[in-house]
């Protein structure tokens, strides 16, 4: 685990520095330097999102498991990463502004409650996706082509399951901007950060497709077994998240 | 099988990853190889601080008054109790429970700070302070330059806790 610990430490250090850099720059915004500083903040927010999503979470496992069990091309993984990122950004913005505008005070506590609720919804959706994948693998084991067409439907479900939980990191930036009266910058930062996260999630999907292509060569005729295992893993992930 | 289990443990235990960064500033005094003062100051990152200050500095006077301090201690600081306040006192590698005393919240340079003392008649030999959040939601940050020690010297190093990363302070 030594390598993993070093990896975590590096990720934490980067995020610690990026977090501090963003907050200092947002606070230092004034009329004279607003444009260049705003672009700098958005660039840093993108990098922050990219690094932030390398850490555990953000649906990478779900995307990876999904693509291991479903034959797809890299384009689809890229699309999936960005679908999750868009839903992630929208969910963070809606949650943040909704809670901020409606409740204004005590939002921190409500934020935690809403966050938990979103996590539960996400877990139930992941369980649903798992069951769907198992069903598809089972029913499509003799009709591969039909199966391939059907599985594209579940991609939106996977993106929703992974993206609906708003990222507290994005919410923090948005709230920080809102408190300082920088509404537009808050929204743009959330988008920039989500684009960064989308790229990382896409890479997770692409890697698992590359892995799947190698293993599928070995299994070929029995590919549905791998698909079923993937479905069971997604289902187990949903159950674990629901219990946790 | 072990790798799948490890994967799931990873996903479930660290579904969250650091969203809040807390710098730890220990001020420690040693007399006759025992701790006479153990004081910790946490400095929360600016983003988290700004959001919390908006709520916790209820009269918005830029400082934490007595009433606000009591509220923060009761409603916020006490929430860290199940997490051992992200602080582990280890004697001979065993975790020793403690109760933080003299809690004080302040605002310094737009950052929210929590300070507290630990009273314990610990000897410096075989005592280690560790800092970290096993849920990985908070990243505790400890650097050599954050540490003030009188009457002894100490070393800051990282700790590999399998699923999260922490820091430790060891005395010489």
């Amino acid at each position: 685990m030594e390598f993993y610990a070093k990896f975590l430490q590096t990720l934490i250090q980067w995020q610690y520095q990026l977090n501090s850099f963003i907050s200092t720059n947002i606070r230092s915004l004034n009329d004279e330097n607003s444009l260049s500083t705003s672009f700098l903040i958005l660039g840093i927010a993108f990098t922050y999102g990219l690094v932030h999503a390398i850490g555990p979470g953000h649906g990478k496992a779900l995307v990876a498991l999904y693509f291991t069990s479903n034959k797809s091309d890299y384009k689809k993984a890229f699309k999936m990463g960005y679908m999750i990122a868009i839903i992630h950004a929208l969910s963070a913005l809606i949650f943040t502004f909704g809670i901020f505008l409606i409740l204004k005070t005590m939002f921190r506590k409500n934020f935690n409650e809403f966050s938990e609720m979103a996590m539960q919804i996400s877990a139930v959706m992941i369980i649903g996706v798992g069951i769907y994948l198992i069903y598809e693998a089972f029913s499509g084991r003799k009709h591969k082509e039909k199966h391939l067409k059907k599985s594209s439907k579940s991609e939106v479900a996977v993106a929703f399951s992974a993206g609906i939980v708003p990222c507290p990191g994005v919410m923090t930036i948005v709230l920080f901007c809102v408190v300082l009266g920088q509404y537009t910058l808050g929204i743009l930062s959330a988008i920039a950060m989500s684009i960064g996260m989308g790229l990382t999630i896409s890479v997770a999907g692409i890697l698992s497709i590359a892995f799947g292509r190698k293993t599928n060569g070995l299994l070929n005729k029995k590919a549905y077994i791998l698909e079923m295992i993937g479905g069971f893993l997604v289902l187990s992930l949903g159950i674990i998240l629901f219990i946790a | 099988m072990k790798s799948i289990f490890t994967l799931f443990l990873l996903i479930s235990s660290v579904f969250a990853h650091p969203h809040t960064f807390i710098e730890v500033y220990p001020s420690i005094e040693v007399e006759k190889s025992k701790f006479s003062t153990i004081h910790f100051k946490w400095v929360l990152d600016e983003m988290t601080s700004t959001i919390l200050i908006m709520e916790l500095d209820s009269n918005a006077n830029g400082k934490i008054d007595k009433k606000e301090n009591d509220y923060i201690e009761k409603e916020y600081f006490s929430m860290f109790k199940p997490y051992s306040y992200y602080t582990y006192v280890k004697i001979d590698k065993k975790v020793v429970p403690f109760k933080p005393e003299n809690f004080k919240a302040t605002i310094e340079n737009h950052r929210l700070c929590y300070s507290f003392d630990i009273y314990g008649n610990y000897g410096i030999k075989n005592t280690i302070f560790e800092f970290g959040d096993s849920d990985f939601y908070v990243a505790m940050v400890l650097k050599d330059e954050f540490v003030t020690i009188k009457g002894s010297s100490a070393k800051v190093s990282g700790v590999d806790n399998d699923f999260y990363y922490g820091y430790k302070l060891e005395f010489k």
Side-chain angles (χ1 to χ4, degrees), chain A residues 41-58:
Chain A
I41 291 164
L42 294 180
I44 302 293
F46 168 79
T47 316
Y48 187 41
L50 199 123
V51 176
H52 189 66
I54 297 173
H58 292 291

Side-chain angles (χ1 to χ4, degrees), chain A residues 126-146:
Chain A
I126 292 171
I127 292 170
V129 171
I131 293 169
Y132 182 73
L133 288 177
I134 296 165
Y135 167 76
E136 283 228 307
F138 185 74
S139 63
R141 67 191 190 281
K142 283 176 188 165
H143 310 283
K144 280 190 175 176
E145 281 176 24
K146 196 179 166 193

Side-chain angles (χ1 to χ4, degrees), chain B residues 25-87:
Chain B
Y25 289 81
S27 297
I28 288 165
E29 286 181 26
V30 177
E31 281 174 23
K32 293 175 188 168
S33 296
K34 286 196 168 185
F35 296 106
S36 55
T37 305
I38 304 169
H39 179 83
F40 291 117
K41 182 178 175 182
W42 294 358
V43 181
L44 278 67
D45 69 78
E46 195 176 344
M47 278 199 236
T48 307
S49 294
T50 306
I51 295 162
L52 284 173
I53 289 166
M54 195 183 79
E55 183 192 340
L56 301 175
D57 179 17
S58 47
N59 57 8
N61 66 351
K63 57 184 180 182
I64 304 295
D65 305 321
K66 170 86 176 70
K67 206 175 151 190
E68 291 161 347
N69 193 80
D70 293 345
Y71 176 79
I72 296 170
E73 183 174 15
K74 192 173 164 236
E75 298 292 330
Y76 281 79
F77 190 62
S78 64
M79 282 195 327
F80 300 126
K81 195 181 172 189
Y83 306 96
S84 184
Y85 303 91
Y86 306 140
T87 305

Side-chain angles (χ1 to χ4, degrees), chain A residues 16 27 56 58 107 109 119, chain B residues 15 17 23 46 54 75:
Chain A
Y16 167 60
R27 198 178 281 281
H58 292 291
F107 64 84
K109 280 189 177 172
M119 202 96 88
Chain B
F15 188 66
H17 35 262
E23 293 171 357
E46 195 176 344
M54 195 183 79
E75 298 292 330

Side-chain angles (χ1 to χ4, degrees), chain A residues 4-176:
Chain A
Y4 184 68
K6 290 263 181 239
F7 174 66
L8 273 186
Q9 188 199 16
T10 310
L11 282 185
I12 293 167
Q13 280 300 324
W14 284 351
Q15 289 184 74
Y16 167 60
Q17 281 158 6
L18 289 167
N19 180 292
S20 159
F21 197 76
I22 292 174
S23 52
T24 309
N25 274 289
I26 293 176
R27 198 178 281 281
S28 74
L29 263 183
N30 58 47
D31 292 341
E32 283 170 26
N33 66 5
S34 64
L35 196 67
S36 55
T37 311
S38 295
F39 275 112
L40 180 69
I41 291 164
L42 294 180
I44 302 293
F46 168 79
T47 316
Y48 187 41
L50 199 123
V51 176
H52 189 66
I54 297 173
H58 292 291
K60 287 188 308 301
L62 179 63
V63 171
L65 291 175
Y66 178 81
F67 282 118
T68 310
S69 63
N70 279 271
K71 285 179 183 174
S72 285
D73 54 31
Y74 297 142
K75 226 191 235 175
K76 273 193 179 169
F78 204 67
K79 202 175 114 190
M80 168 82 85
Y82 276 93
M83 260 203 294
I84 292 174
I86 291 165
I87 296 163
H88 227 33
L90 282 176
S91 131
L93 287 169
I94 291 167
F95 269 75
T96 312
F97 280 101
I99 295 165
F100 184 76
L101 293 175
I102 298 165
L103 299 160
K104 269 212 164 170
T105 54
M106 302 296 287
F107 64 84
R108 184 91 188 167
K109 280 189 177 172
N110 286 294
F111 154 68
N112 287 340
E113 279 168 24
F114 279 113
S115 189
E116 264 176 39
M117 206 160 70
M119 202 96 88
Q120 298 274 296
I121 294 169
S122 165
V124 171
M125 285 174 81
I126 292 171
I127 292 170
V129 171
I131 293 169
Y132 182 73
L133 288 177
I134 296 165
Y135 167 76
E136 283 228 307
F138 185 74
S139 63
R141 67 191 190 281
K142 283 176 188 165
H143 310 283
K144 280 190 175 176
E145 281 176 24
K146 196 179 166 193
H147 164 60
L148 277 176
K149 274 180 198 168
K150 269 203 292 180
S151 69
S152 67
K153 274 190 233 164
S154 56
E155 279 166 25
V156 178
V158 171
F160 259 96
S161 313
I164 196 170
V165 180
C167 169
V170 179
M171 291 179 78
T172 307
I173 287 192
V174 178
L175 271 174
F176 181 68

